[in-house]
Amino acid sequence: MDRTFIVGDVSGYRVHRSAWWWGFVLVNCATAAVVYFGLAAVPAFRDWNSWLFAAGIGVSYLALVRLKFATVSYQNTQIPVGLDTFYESGRQFVFKRINEAVKADRARLARRLIEDHDVKSLGNQIRLDINLDALLTPEEKKTRLAWLLKVLQDPGFDEEQKKTTMAVYLASGTQV
């Protein structure tokens, strides 16, 4: 989930404080616990090294949540039947709820940035953000700075469009 929803999100919304986040984590923990107790009950696994047993639990967990019994064709659509269908549906449901909260928080931040700053100060904030980002390669920094210059000099953008574009970048870290 960290790859989908950056935990230290730019907007300040803390995804890891979300009930949806922890609900998803707890359901996965419960599933892993079921796998653990299921494997621990099998005499063949009792003598395994603890690291090997942990790896076996991890592989078994993944096999369980990705389990498909069959694939049914319905109106030219392939529908998998198994635990994978429920797991993916649940994951999408949770991710949608988290994404709605993240979007709302980013929109609040973007509106506040638009109201409180002019084009020049937003541009300076973005430039600072890009130059201080230790995770960006020199080429990525160059590309982002070129994008910023394009936004600032675009004759097709009025003042509000420039502010909105830059506020979205500051709130989400994405270029639009």
Side-chain angles (χ1 to χ4, degrees):
M1 287 194 307
D2 282 349
R3 284 180 274 161
T4 304
F5 306 103
I6 302 166
V7 175
D9 190 64
V10 185
S11 67
Y13 182 78
R14 301 293 182 221
V15 174
H16 61 276
R17 292 184 185 162
S18 164
W20 290 108
W21 175 281
W22 286 108
F24 188 73
V25 168
L26 290 175
V27 166
N28 281 282
C29 287
T31 305
V34 166
V35 171
Y36 168 80
F37 288 114
L39 290 180
V42 177
F45 292 112
R46 289 190 186 131
D47 296 331
W48 281 25
N49 171 301
S50 61
W51 289 101
L52 185 59
F53 186 64
I57 292 168
V59 169
S60 298
Y61 163 81
L62 289 174
L64 181 66
V65 298
R66 298 295 179 201
L67 184 64
K68 294 178 192 170
F69 300 115
T71 302
V72 178
S73 293
Y74 178 73
Q75 296 179 349
N76 296 327
T77 303
Q78 300 292 331
I79 303 169
V81 177
L83 296 179
D84 181 59
T85 304
F86 294 108
Y87 179 80
E88 279 303 313
S89 297
R91 188 176 75 82
Q92 291 303 319
F93 179 83
V94 169
F95 277 29
K96 183 176 179 182
R97 299 314 177 275
I98 293 171
N99 190 51
E100 288 170 0
V102 169
K103 284 187 340 184
D105 193 65
R106 288 176 176 173
R108 277 190 297 277
L109 175 60
R111 280 191 292 277
R112 194 170 63 242
L113 288 167
I114 291 167
E115 292 169 2
D116 296 347
H117 299 282
D118 61 5
V119 171
K120 184 177 179 181
S121 70
L122 287 172
N124 287 336
Q125 282 184 3
I126 292 173
R127 190 173 294 107
L128 185 64
D129 180 71
I130 292 168
N131 287 322
L132 294 177
D133 194 333
L135 298 178
L136 294 177
T137 65
E139 186 60 36
E140 289 172 322
K141 287 182 181 186
K142 186 178 177 180
T143 302
R144 290 187 185 205
L145 289 170
W147 168 84
L148 175 59
L149 186 61
K150 180 183 172 215
V151 170
L152 290 170
Q153 295 178 344
D154 191 337
F157 275 17
D158 63 21
E159 189 92 359
E160 282 304 305
Q161 290 170 314
K162 290 177 184 181
K163 285 173 64 172
T164 300
T165 301
M166 291 188 292
V168 167
Y169 177 83
L170 287 169
S172 69
T174 57
Q175 301 170 12
V176 289

